Amino acid sequence: EAQVTQNPRYLITVTGKKLTVTCSQNMNHEYMSWYRQDPGLGLRQIYYSMNVEVTDKGDVPEGYKVSRKEKRNFPLILESPSPNQTSLYFCASTSIAGVLGEQFFGPGTRLTVL
Amino acid sequence: RKEVEQDPGPFNVPEGATVAFNCTYSNSASQSFFWYRQDCRKEPKLLMSVYSSGNEDGRFTAQLNRASQYISLLIRDSKLSDSATYLCVVKADSNYQLIWGAGTKLIIKP
């Protein structure tokens, strides 16, 4: 089954404790991205990657890191989480052969930073 | 001004009615447009792309008005299962970023 998986689905942590949210896709997509979704603000892109070892900042990259060592995986790293990073996070992937319209999303990770 | 704006709603609509909502965008260079559907606390899923000439998919019709810089979504014969948040997405061909609206919440009532 074609899918994007994220782990963990729910996470409560404390300020400053490094964490990683994993994202994996099995569709051989070149393009992967991370979003955060906050009430009233819609989806905002954090980072995206056009292919292995190619990453770029989105609209809200501060406080986040990513890596793309393999095509299928695109982990999101919060080196020192802060309460303003409490949000719902989505990973998405798509083929760049098209116009990036159909992004396939993971189920989301609900992060709370105390 | 936000790059992509939507009326947050909620739109409360009786089952069987027709409902329409718009999405305005500020970047006149925008070239690709999409509607996504998001159920509560779930991931967004593509509903339909929006083509220059307008397009229809069953009960759903999408329109693009470049002169006024907005896209619209019309739902005919609404069903209870249409209750969701509808997200407007815009892409400028100059980059690979998608700009998302905050969504319009639709509630279909029996």
Side-chain angles (χ1 to χ4, degrees):
Chain A
E1 180 190 356
Q3 61 181 351
V4 179
T5 57
Q6 289 179 233
N7 282 293
R9 294 288 312 281
Y10 302 91
L11 179 60
I12 299 174
T13 190
V14 295
T15 299
K17 186 176 181 182
K18 181 179 178 180
L19 65 93
T20 298
V21 184
T22 63
C23 172
S24 183
Q25 50 95 4
N26 62 2
M27 295 168 279
N28 202 36
H29 286 161
E30 300 88 358
Y31 184 99
M32 297 185 74
S33 62
W34 274 102
Y35 295 91
R36 62 177 288 173
Q37 187 174 33
D38 303 289
L41 295 178
L43 282 163
R44 293 181 292 168
Q45 193 173 49
I46 302 170
Y47 270 94
Y48 63 96
S49 169
M50 296 294 294
N51 215 322
V52 176
E53 302 292 0
V54 181
T55 62
D56 212 342
K57 295 178 181 178
D59 297 316
V60 288
E62 294 77 21
Y64 304 95
K65 286 175 58 177
V66 293
S67 67
R68 189 89 182 273
K69 294 187 171 62
E70 305 164 284
K71 197 171 187 179
R72 63 183 293 126
N73 296 323
F74 190 45
L76 179 70
I77 303 154
L78 284 71
E79 294 269 4
S80 183
S82 62
N84 65 11
Q85 292 179 298
T86 292
S87 188
L88 176 59
Y89 291 85
F90 288 106
C91 178
S93 76
T94 189
S95 169
I96 61 172
V99 293
L100 304 185
E102 184 163 19
Q103 300 224 345
F104 295 85
F105 283 82
T109 294
R110 191 167 292 278
L111 173 65
T112 301
V113 183
L114 302 174
Chain B
R1 182 186 172 190
K2 291 182 182 177
E3 291 188 65
V4 176
E5 290 199 76
Q6 295 184 253
D7 183 335
F11 284 53
N12 290 286
V13 175
E15 191 176 8
T18 295
V19 59
F21 28 84
N22 294 337
C23 163
T24 59
Y25 60 94
S26 61
N27 184 354
S28 59
S30 300
Q31 293 295 325
S32 304
F33 309 89
F34 312 92
W35 284 105
Y36 273 71
R37 172 197 168 120
Q38 185 175 26
D39 294 300
C40 187
R41 297 176 181 269
K42 297 282 186 68
E43 70 273 23
K45 292 183 180 178
L46 180 67
L47 178 65
M48 57 197 303
S49 302
V50 185
Y51 303 125
S52 296
S53 55
N55 48 298
E56 192 173 305
D57 183 2
R59 298 182 292 108
F60 297 84
T61 300
Q63 297 276 357
L64 167 62
N65 185 317
R66 285 195 184 276
S68 301
Q69 294 184 205
Y70 73 88
I71 64 172
S72 63
L73 179 67
L74 182 141
I75 305 174
R76 289 182 299 278
D77 188 23
S78 52
K79 313 290 185 192
L80 295 176
S81 57
D82 293 333
S83 297
T85 295
Y86 291 84
L87 304 171
C88 164
V89 189
V90 174
K91 175 185 169 298
D93 276 352
S94 58
N95 59 46
Y96 287 96
Q97 281 187 270
L98 297 174
I99 308 298
W100 296 72
T104 296
K105 186 171 184 177
L106 175 65
I107 300 171
I108 306 299
K109 304 200 168 201

